[in-house]
Amino acid sequence: MRGRPFRARIGANESVFGPSPRAIEAMCAAAAQSWMYGDPEMHDLKAAIARHHGVGPDNVAVDSGIDALLRLAVRMTVEPGQAVVTSAGAYPTFNYHVDGFGGRRVGVPYAGDREDPEALLAAARQERAPLVYFANPDSPMGSWWGAADVQRLIDRVPDGALLIVDEAYADTAPAAAIPRSTYRTRSVLRMRTFSKAYGMAGVRVGYAIGEAGVIRAFDKVRNHFDVSRVAQAGAIAALGDQLYLQNVVSSIGRARARIGEIAKASGLAALPSATNFVAIDCGRDGAPRAARAGRPGGARRVRAHARGRPARPVHPRERRHRRGPRDLRRGAAGALAAAADARS
């Protein structure tokens, strides 16, 4: 809120555990060569990602984060006026791109605290949508579907449609939530990032895995120098330090449990999460009551946004807390206690 300092950065779900020391070392070394553009083909990084996932380099597209890849995917597939199916309240940046390229957004409601694959498929068929967006695990709820459920969704994508499966939080999810490789299927793009568990949000590297023909289309529309030499070097080194990643994921799990305990002690409920944040059920939507009292009570349930962005549809009763060091968790305890008091 304007005029008030932030107690903690929790809106963007960054990892305060930071990058692997190997990644930091590699980026520092690459910084001395920043007078040169990065490799526009990202040959070494694509090869490293391909080895990591057991696919070919021609099945990998890399850009400056998932946001950039979403923009390109919308540009490649959507004509003005065409329907694009997503979940009402899901990742807002995807919506900005759809709106910016003239698409017509069709939002389907969540089923409980999860995106609804059946509703997404039904809307895609009814609207003859060329593009469908589905996140697993989901933001803002932190919920997830099992791999078999996601695979059924992939197998039933209508002819002529492309399904984006946003797996930004796959590294913090249970292994049983992530389907096996689908790189031979033209109807799906799976997107990953180095911004979350890898702790490199400020570096901006994301990638898509898909069928080679679909992946080649990115080269027709992307900016070829958007991923810097520093970013490429850091991402390669981060992939090579899986032990560090495993330790971070373990730390996230412990912090997730602790935030659940803090919520419970405040009379609130932490929703199950497969991400690096926790959604807290505060019992009800606090915004109307706060508005009557002239207080900014919407903060009880909404996430922080970049300045100048339109407000995001949110889920009633929701507040999210990123998992991180102890000082942030202590701050969370006070904030959740205040949220509990506001209910009464």
Side-chain angles (χ1 to χ4, degrees):
M1 287 169 282
R2 293 181 180 177
R4 299 178 62 180
F6 287 109
R7 295 183 183 180
R9 287 171 58 92
I10 63 173
N13 304 336
E14 298 138 324
S15 172
V16 293
F17 298 107
S20 154
R22 293 186 193 175
I24 295 173
E25 182 180 2
M27 289 188 286
C28 289
Q33 297 179 323
S34 291
W35 60 273
M36 291 186 285
Y37 292 112
D39 174 12
E41 300 303 322
M42 294 165 282
H43 177 276
D44 292 349
L45 178 53
K46 285 184 179 179
I49 292 169
R51 286 193 301 270
H52 183 68
H53 289 283
V55 300
D58 59 346
N59 299 119
V60 178
V62 180
D63 216 296
S64 54
I66 286 180
D67 290 358
L69 291 163
L70 291 174
R71 172 178 55 82
L72 296 174
V74 173
R75 181 180 175 186
M76 291 182 331
T77 58
V78 178
E79 297 291 336
Q82 285 187 311
V84 177
V85 174
T86 182
S87 298
Y91 188 46
T93 301
F94 178 72
N95 298 341
Y96 306 150
H97 296 319
V98 173
D99 295 347
F101 286 107
R104 177 171 56 86
R105 275 190 286 123
V106 177
V108 303
Y110 279 60
D113 295 322
R114 298 194 291 181
E115 296 190 38
D116 188 341
E118 292 298 324
L120 290 169
L121 284 171
R125 295 190 191 100
Q126 179 176 335
E127 300 288 343
R128 297 182 179 179
L131 190 62
V132 182
Y133 176 85
F134 173 75
N136 191 60
D138 173 66
S139 175
M141 304 306 286
S143 53
W144 70 98
W145 287 90
D149 299 300
V150 179
Q151 188 62 54
R152 278 194 292 272
L153 171 62
I154 292 170
D155 292 342
R156 297 165 62 199
V157 174
D159 291 343
L162 177 67
L163 172 68
I164 293 175
V165 181
D166 186 339
E167 296 180 331
Y169 299 95
D171 296 302
T172 58
I178 309 303
R180 290 178 295 180
S181 180
T182 55
Y183 66 94
R184 292 188 177 91
T185 305
R186 290 189 60 85
S187 60
V188 61
L189 280 173
R190 296 168 67 174
M191 297 189 178
R192 298 285 188 96
T193 184
F194 287 87
S195 296
K196 304 306 179 184
Y198 283 100
M200 297 172 61
V203 180
R204 310 306 301 133
V205 184
Y207 58 95
I209 298 175
E211 190 271 335
V214 178
I215 291 297
R216 279 195 298 273
F218 281 99
D219 286 335
K220 300 177 182 179
V221 293
R222 69 180 176 91
N223 295 326
H224 282 61
F225 294 107
D226 275 4
V227 184
S228 70
R229 298 181 68 87
V230 172
Q232 292 183 44
I236 292 169
L239 273 177
D241 195 354
Q242 290 297 301
L243 178 59
Y244 180 81
L245 178 67
Q246 293 167 15
N247 290 336
V248 166
V249 172
S250 296
S251 296
I252 288 171
R254 290 191 294 271
R256 185 165 56 203
R258 178 60 185 135
I259 289 175
E261 293 169 358
I262 292 170
K264 184 176 180 180
S266 300
L268 307 173
L271 303 184
S273 175
T275 65
N276 69 343
F277 62 84
V278 178
I280 306 296
D281 187 340
C282 295
R284 63 177 176 80
D285 185 347
R289 177 175 181 269
R292 291 194 299 271
R295 300 196 312 274
R300 300 295 179 208
R301 64 183 182 94
V302 301
R303 61 184 289 181
H305 290 284
R307 292 178 191 146
R309 290 288 180 114
R312 171 187 187 179
V314 296
H315 296 265
R317 314 182 316 279
E318 176 203 334
R319 184 177 182 119
R320 296 188 308 154
H321 286 278
R322 184 187 50 182
R323 305 174 189 110
R326 293 175 182 173
D327 57 338
L328 294 186
R329 294 202 293 273
R330 283 193 291 267
L336 291 179
D341 291 342
R343 295 188 306 169
S344 57

